[in-house]
Amino acid sequence: MTTVFKFGGASIKDADAIRHLTPLIEDHKDRPLVVVVSAMGKTTNKLETLLAAARDEHRSDDYRKCFEALQAEHREAIESLFDDAQDSPAERVDALFDELDAQHQKHRGAAYAKHYDQTVCYGELISTTIVAAWLNHQGTATDWHDARELVRTDACHQAANLDWPATAEAIGERLAGSDRVILTQGFIGGTAQGAATTLGREGSDFSAAIFAHCLDAREVVIWKDVTGLYNADPRRFDNAVQLERISYGEATELAWHGAKVIHPKTLGPLQEKAIPLTVRSFETPDAAPTVIDAERRFDADVPCCILRENQVWLEVRPRDFAFMDEPRQHDILGHLVEAGLHANLVDSGAMRFAICLDDKPERLAPMIESLEGDYAVRHEDSLTLLTVRHPRQGMMDALGADRETLVERRNDTTAQRLFRSRDCPETWHIPD
Ligand code: ASP
Ligand code: MG
């Protein structure tokens, strides 16, 4: 049966990291083994910077500098890995860089999202070319596949929607039954017309789930630089602990509320086919992992805390002293949809509708301006939203002690409090 591995940017950030990954793949004897790989290190961020320079006619020097720096980094990894020219992917990678350059020239006047997808996809195309060559060089029979031809999507650039039947057909036809390692890109897909698309930042987890779903895989393993999922970000909570096992539903809730653990779209396709997802460390592969599957019994064992910073609180009131009835709520949410903004918390009353949002000024400012035609809008920024899943008795009060709570929301599984960021500590402690 098929296994799907996913390696993120950190696990292939340089030549040493790539060397380290070979035994993890070699030791896994089941085939097909589908290996989904992200761009190297922070390449996607760098490609976004490159894109901004490409679109600004006054910044052609910056563009060249960025481009050359990125190419040099990849060349350095290749030179370190391959001493003989025969197996080296140097030429193919240089050709991909030439293509990337040509795509920038071609799309600089096109819509941003389309230009983004035609160029940022090269991070993954290049990284997988290097890793595939390396595995073959090491004697692990590996085939490179272009995910733009397998993961079929619509043309909603930067947030493409999957065409599941076409994807299942393409993946089934090309990959099922292979006895080799199948290496492909996370994050990217393509339209029927041949344009590249992307699935949203950090979308490689979702890619792994797509391949697993379409191949009825036995298991997905996400290899990370931590041993599993934690009940809070260990960099921000001094007593965070690893979760042993949670359900698909719980993992989806954590991701939805902003835990940067797994892309939120990942769990659905796995749940539907009851394919377990394991999160393991590529540094210490034998350490106990976190397992996500259908079992719900352990979900409430450990409370989980999630911080969302840079939040804005918007309070919207009708100008004509009318009620905040359904047509008005519908109207306000319509503004949100149009602005492409997501409500992290909603609260309403007879004459007000209030929303907590990520502070994205370029989207928020025009939305507020258009709301102000019909509504009085008050907003406050520099806020922190704390979400706790399965809080224990008294926990929310302890977390809110010493700071004013601007808004509180609670149901049987989830509690949220909104604070001013300046009142919040750098390091939090989860109360007993
Ligand atoms: N390389 C892409 C990103 O950094 C996708 C991923 O890593 O999942 O967003
Ligand atoms: Mg990444």
Side-chain angles (χ1 to χ4, degrees):
M1 265 176 107
T2 308
T3 309
V4 178
F5 280 1
K6 183 252 163 170
F7 289 98
S11 63
I12 53 156
K13 68 176 195 298
D14 53 23
D16 274 346
I18 294 173
R19 273 190 204 98
H20 186 89
L21 159 155
T22 324
L24 300 175
I25 293 174
E26 249 171 24
D27 292 353
H28 189 90
K29 300 293 177 213
D30 290 349
R31 293 292 181 270
L33 172 61
V34 176
V35 181
V36 173
V37 177
S38 296
M40 286 174 71
K42 300 275 177 231
T43 299
T44 305
N45 293 349
K46 293 173 188 170
L47 284 165
E48 288 182 351
T49 307
L50 184 68
L51 173 69
R55 292 181 74 76
D56 184 341
E57 55 182 316
H58 305 297
R59 294 185 56 204
S60 56
D61 286 352
D62 285 351
Y63 172 81
R64 231 358 98 197
K65 242 195 249 155
C66 265
F67 186 92
E68 280 165 11
L70 201 58
Q71 188 165 26
E73 272 173 33
H74 286 84
R75 279 187 179 152
E76 191 184 310
I78 295 170
E79 274 160 26
S80 164
L81 288 168
F82 300 89
D83 37 23
D84 72 64
Q86 204 194 340
D87 291 346
S88 166
E91 265 178 39
R92 257 168 301 145
V93 168
D94 278 345
L96 287 167
F97 270 101
D98 289 345
E99 269 182 41
L100 168 63
D101 195 18
Q103 292 290 346
H104 274 305
Q105 307 318 323
K106 180 170 168 196
H107 292 284
R108 60 199 312 167
Y112 178 85
K114 172 106 192 253
H115 185 179
Y116 184 102
D117 284 358
Q118 307 323 302
T119 54
V120 174
C121 63
Y122 280 86
E124 271 73 8
L125 293 168
I126 290 166
S127 68
T128 50
T129 300
I130 298 173
V131 176
W134 168 249
L135 289 171
N136 280 315
H137 180 65
Q138 291 301 106
T140 302
T142 303
D143 290 329
W144 182 92
H145 284 270
D146 188 336
R148 292 174 296 183
E149 293 165 12
L150 300 171
V151 176
R152 306 291 294 276
T153 72
D154 66 6
C156 181
H157 288 290
Q158 285 194 277
N161 301 295
L162 223 64
D163 178 343
W164 281 100
T167 301
E169 197 183 311
I171 289 179
E173 248 173 37
R174 307 247 195 116
L175 307 188
S178 169
D179 60 354
R180 295 161 62 86
V181 172
I182 291 162
L183 200 98
T184 192
Q185 306 80 38
F187 179 54
I188 74 174
T191 66
Q193 288 70 38
T197 55
T198 59
L199 306 172
R201 287 302 306 267
E202 305 303 326
S204 293
D205 296 340
F206 180 39
S207 301
I210 295 167
F211 284 98
H213 180 97
C214 294
L215 291 165
D216 286 313
R218 169 216 304 273
E219 186 191 19
V220 174
V221 183
I222 294 186
W223 296 94
K224 276 181 151 327
D225 52 3
V226 287
T227 48
L229 305 188
Y230 280 69
N231 71 330
D233 181 347
R235 289 163 303 185
R236 302 301 307 279
F237 289 80
D238 61 7
N239 57 343
V241 293
Q242 192 182 319
L243 301 167
E244 281 170 36
R245 193 171 174 188
I246 55 170
S247 69
Y248 299 114
E250 186 61 27
T252 307
E253 288 288 341
L254 295 176
W256 173 260
H257 284 295
K260 290 181 191 69
V261 286
I262 287 174
H263 192 282
K265 284 188 182 167
T266 310
L267 284 315
L270 300 181
Q271 177 164 22
E272 209 180 302
K273 296 234 171 143
I275 302 166
L277 171 68
T278 307
V279 180
R280 282 187 183 282
S281 159
F282 58 80
E283 279 157 1
T284 50
D286 296 329
T290 299
V291 177
I292 302 169
D293 61 12
E295 180 59 63
R296 305 191 70 98
R297 232 177 338 140
F298 309 102
D299 285 353
D301 282 2
V302 184
C304 292
C305 298
I306 302 148
L307 287 177
R308 262 191 199 270
E309 294 176 310
N310 290 323
Q311 298 294 295
V312 179
W313 181 245
L314 271 192
E315 272 190 5
V316 185
R317 296 168 191 272
R319 281 199 191 282
D320 51 6
F321 303 105
F323 292 123
M324 184 50 78
D325 54 7
E326 282 71 14
R328 283 190 179 79
Q329 295 193 16
H330 183 248
D331 179 43
I332 293 166
L333 288 171
H335 278 82
L336 216 64
V337 174
E338 224 165 84
L341 288 165
H342 167 72
N344 299 324
L345 191 166
V346 174
D347 185 44
S348 66
M351 293 168 83
R352 61 188 271 285
F353 190 78
I355 335 163
C356 178
L357 308 155
D358 293 345
D359 194 354
K360 295 184 179 156
E362 70 295 346
R363 292 177 182 220
L364 212 58
M367 182 181 82
I368 292 176
E369 202 182 306
S370 76
L371 279 170
E372 276 173 337
D374 292 323
Y375 305 93
V377 184
R378 187 186 79 83
H379 66 105
E380 179 169 352
D381 59 15
S382 304
L383 306 176
T384 294
L385 179 64
L386 172 71
T387 301
V388 184
R389 292 278 298 165
H390 311 288
R392 297 207 210 292
Q393 186 79 31
M395 205 170 183
M396 291 315 286
D397 286 337
L399 283 162
D402 308 326
R403 59 191 71 92
E404 185 186 348
T405 296
L406 304 181
V407 188
E408 179 163 18
R409 190 190 78 100
R410 207 181 169 118
N411 62 26
D412 56 338
T413 54
T414 311
Q416 294 182 294
R417 280 190 182 213
L418 188 64
F419 303 117
R420 290 196 178 88
S421 301
R422 63 164 190 266
D423 297 340
C424 294
E426 192 43 42
T427 305
W428 293 71
H429 187 79
I430 307 168
D432 296 331

